[in-house]
Structure formats: C-alpha cells, structure tokens
Amino acid sequence: MIKTLNTERLSISALDSAEAPFMYQLLNSEGWLTFIGNRNIDNLEAAETYVNKVYENGPINYWKVVRKEDGMRIGIMTLLKKDYLDYYDIGFAFLPDYNGKGYAAEASTAVLHHAQTELRFEVVTAVVLENNHKSIRLLTNLGFEFQHLVVHDEEELMVYNLKLISLVANAYTGHGQ
C-alpha cells in the first residue's frame, strides 16, 4: 500500500476508485488536456475504470492531494516507471483553482523526500512538453536539470533529472525549498 504523506497544508494518500468524480473533473480540465493529453474519460464510469487500470500498469505510485483545512481534493501526484525512461518519473496535476498557490511545489517536495528516504531512489526524472512553462519553472525550482529531448507517442518531451542527494545538500544551504 502507498504510504500517506503529510505536509503543513496537504495530505497525500493513495488514489482509489472512490475518487472517480474528482478524477473525471481533473482528467477533463484544460491543463490536463493541454499538457498531459485527452484520456477520453467521458463519464464517471470511465473515470472509475481509469483509476482501477492505473494500478495494472506496473510499478506505480498514484496519490490524491487533499487540502487539510477543508478536505478538498485538489490534485494528484505520481511516481511511476515508464519504459522509455531510465528512472522513475514524477508527475503532478492540479485543478485550475489551485494552481499558483504553492501546492504543487509542496506536494512534489514531499514525494521527492519519500522517493529518497523510503524508496532509496538516487535520481528521479520528470518529462514535460516544451510549452508547459509553469511545470518547467516548478521543476527547475525543485532542482531538476534539463537532460535531453525524447520522442514518445509522437510527442517531443523534455527530460529533466534530479539527483536526490542534492535534496540533502540543498536543505543545508537553504536552497531548493
């Protein structure tokens, strides 16, 4: 079972099929459709099927991100092994109303800490479309560095890596927060 992660403002816990209404909303949000892609989730049943199939795709961690103050589901975090990448890939998606409030950075930091301390990963990857400037800014603020371009499913993706040992070093210098 996926470990629940907690931050000052967020609870990050396993996603399950009960989250189908939330996932339906997220999967059909403008940001998801533009930067992640249309998954053809046209109804709640399709969203429930999508959530159930997530865990059939091999080594994966898929969390819902919930605000502690009101229990509002605001986004998801993923950490999964993609066959075209050398390392596990961190992913994030948030509902539009919760963008620009630091939630993605806070949740990403918790997942990266988990990857380093619990999973003992040395490197984590992130892939992003070149026009997704907000995600690129977040990745670079977290310490990720651009590595190369890769083509997957006919899309050119930018590959960023983070050496998790740098998280420890940054904690002592005050960077990467």
Side-chain angles (χ1 to χ4, degrees), residues 39-58:
R39 300 297 190 257
N40 298 311
I41 305 300
D42 301 325
N43 56 53
L44 290 178
E45 184 179 328
E48 185 173 339
T49 300
Y50 176 86
V51 172
N52 288 332
K53 283 188 174 193
V54 160
Y55 291 102
E56 296 172 10
N57 291 329

Side-chain angles (χ1 to χ4, degrees), residues 107-168:
S108 294
T109 299
V111 169
L112 291 168
H113 183 264
H114 172 71
Q116 180 185 30
T117 60
E118 300 292 324
L119 302 176
R120 304 284 188 221
F121 291 172
E122 293 182 15
V123 178
V124 172
T125 290
V127 293
V128 62
L129 293 171
E130 188 174 16
N131 65 339
N132 191 344
H133 304 292
K134 289 181 183 179
S135 290
I136 292 169
R137 185 171 45 251
L138 173 59
L139 292 172
T140 57
N141 286 344
L142 290 169
F144 282 81
E145 295 180 356
F146 175 75
Q147 300 299 306
H148 58 84
L149 296 173
V150 64
V151 176
H152 180 71
D153 288 341
E154 300 179 18
E155 282 191 306
E156 190 172 70
L157 302 169
M158 299 175 74
V159 177
Y160 285 79
N161 283 353
L162 175 66
K163 293 180 181 173
L164 292 177
I165 191 70
S166 67
L167 290 178
V168 174

Side-chain angles (χ1 to χ4, degrees), residues 66-104:
V66 177
R67 257 191 342 196
K68 288 180 177 178
E69 71 182 58
D70 58 8
M72 183 66 66
R73 289 157 181 79
I74 63 171
I76 61 166
M77 293 295 306
T78 61
L79 192 59
L80 51 110
K81 183 66 179 94
K82 295 179 178 176
D83 59 358
Y84 62 95
L85 297 171
D86 294 332
Y87 305 105
Y88 272 73
D89 173 56
I90 189 170
F92 44 83
F94 287 79
L95 292 170
D97 289 348
Y98 304 99
N99 289 332
K101 298 178 178 6
Y103 294 125

